[in-house]
């Protein structure tokens, strides 16, 4: 499929489409393959919105949030070519944005991430509050506030952070598991309007790997683009 259409579907799921981009995607859905892919994305988002979450405890979550809140960040003013993530949302995809389901297509697979509605917050907190959760701080040029938390019982990895500079609209951050044999993509993520990152990656065990974050084209890459901006 045309990478531009994949980007439009990803941005639609994020609630980032302008009116012109929504019209472009509307026109593209005359292709049955595009229409089917968009329908699959919307159906998956609806399923994510309806899924139940446990009420989290507050122990590890409080310590992680306290750690990232207290980190001073010197954030440079946005360059003229940086498009604010606060731009107008597409009315057509407003229900999907409200559901806070971000569906991103990477290397032919669907990676599900989520932002700050109550259900996604609970799913992140379930990892942070798990009795067996462990954390690793990131270091590097992306910012020292990023923290990775992993819970074996949840079989999930959470990346949290504050004051993270948003990439250009046609770029994204990508998380990798790295060992001597190479790098494996975990998924992609973007900070919210305030620069906060709070995203859960399911079915991910980083125990025997280093973690790395790179800047990639929207939709992600098959291999990391150097340099690695943050490692843990």
């Amino acid at each position: 499929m045309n990478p531009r259409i994949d980007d439009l579907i990803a941005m639609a799921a994020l609630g980032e489409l302008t009116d012109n981009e929504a019209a472009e995607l509307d026109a593209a859905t005359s292709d049955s393959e595009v229409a089917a892919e968009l329908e699959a994305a919307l159906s998956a988002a609806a399923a994510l919105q309806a899924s139940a979450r446990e009420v989290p405890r507050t122990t590890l979550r409080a310590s992680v949030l306290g750690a990232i809140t207290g980190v001073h960040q010197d954030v440079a003013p946005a360059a003229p070519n940086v498009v604010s993530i606060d731009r107008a949302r597409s009315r057509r995809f407003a229900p999907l944005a409200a559901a806070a389901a971000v569906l991103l297509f990477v290397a032919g697979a669907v990676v599900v991430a989520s932002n700050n509605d109550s259900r996604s917050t609970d799913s992140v907190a379930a990892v942070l509050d798990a009795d067996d959760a462990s954390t690793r701080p990131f270091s590097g040029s992306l910012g020292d506030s990023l923290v990775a938390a992993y819970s074996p019982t949840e079989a999930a990895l959470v990346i949290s952070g504050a004051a993270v500079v948003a990439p250009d609209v046609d770029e994204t951050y990508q998380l990798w598991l790295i060992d001597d044999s190479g790098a494996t993509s975990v998924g992609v993520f973007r900070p919210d309007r305030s620069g906060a990152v709070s995203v859960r990656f399911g079915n991910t065990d980083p125990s025997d790997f280093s973690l790395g974050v790179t800047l990639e084209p929207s939709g992600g890459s098959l291999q990391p683009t150097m340099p690695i901006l943050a490692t843990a």
Side-chain angles (χ1 to χ4, degrees):
M1 184 175 293
N2 187 328
R4 170 62 177 171
I5 300 304
D6 285 341
D7 289 347
L8 289 174
I9 292 174
M11 287 190 292
L14 185 60
E16 291 280 324
L17 286 179
T18 64
D19 289 340
N20 288 339
E21 288 167 341
E24 183 180 352
L25 185 55
D26 279 338
T29 56
S30 61
D31 183 318
S32 60
E33 182 182 354
V34 174
E37 185 170 326
L38 180 58
E39 179 63 26
L42 295 175
S43 296
L48 179 64
Q49 181 184 11
S51 61
R53 305 294 184 187
E54 294 182 4
V55 177
R57 297 182 297 277
T58 57
T59 52
L60 182 58
R61 174 177 45 168
S63 65
V64 170
L65 294 180
I68 65 177
T69 301
V71 176
H72 175 72
Q73 297 289 319
D74 294 323
V75 181
N81 64 336
V82 174
V83 178
S84 171
I85 199 170
D86 194 24
R87 62 190 191 153
R89 299 302 200 242
S90 164
R91 288 188 179 90
R92 176 182 174 185
F93 294 97
L96 185 57
V102 181
L103 302 179
L104 297 165
F105 294 83
V106 181
V110 178
V111 177
V112 179
S114 52
N115 61 14
N116 290 325
D117 81 346
S118 61
R119 290 185 178 87
S120 62
T121 299
D122 286 352
S123 71
V124 167
V127 174
L128 299 181
D129 297 339
D131 292 336
D132 60 352
S134 59
T135 62
R136 294 190 223 170
F138 281 85
S139 61
S141 61
L142 187 58
D144 293 333
S145 75
L146 281 180
V147 177
Y150 169 65
S151 164
T153 58
E154 288 289 321
L157 174 69
V158 162
I159 304 299
S160 301
V164 178
V165 178
D168 288 354
V169 70
D170 59 349
E171 295 178 318
T172 189
Y173 294 123
Q174 189 161 354
L175 180 66
W176 305 88
L177 299 178
I178 303 170
D179 64 8
D180 291 341
S181 65
T184 301
S185 175
V186 177
V188 298
F189 66 92
R190 294 177 63 91
D192 67 15
R193 292 188 296 272
S194 70
V197 172
S198 182
V199 59
R200 171 175 169 148
F201 298 100
N203 300 315
T204 302
D205 183 352
S207 301
D208 297 325
F209 299 88
S210 296
L211 295 170
V213 177
T214 58
L215 184 64
E216 305 292 345
S218 178
S221 299
L222 295 177
Q223 295 295 328
T225 301
M226 295 296 106
I228 295 178
L229 303 178
T231 58

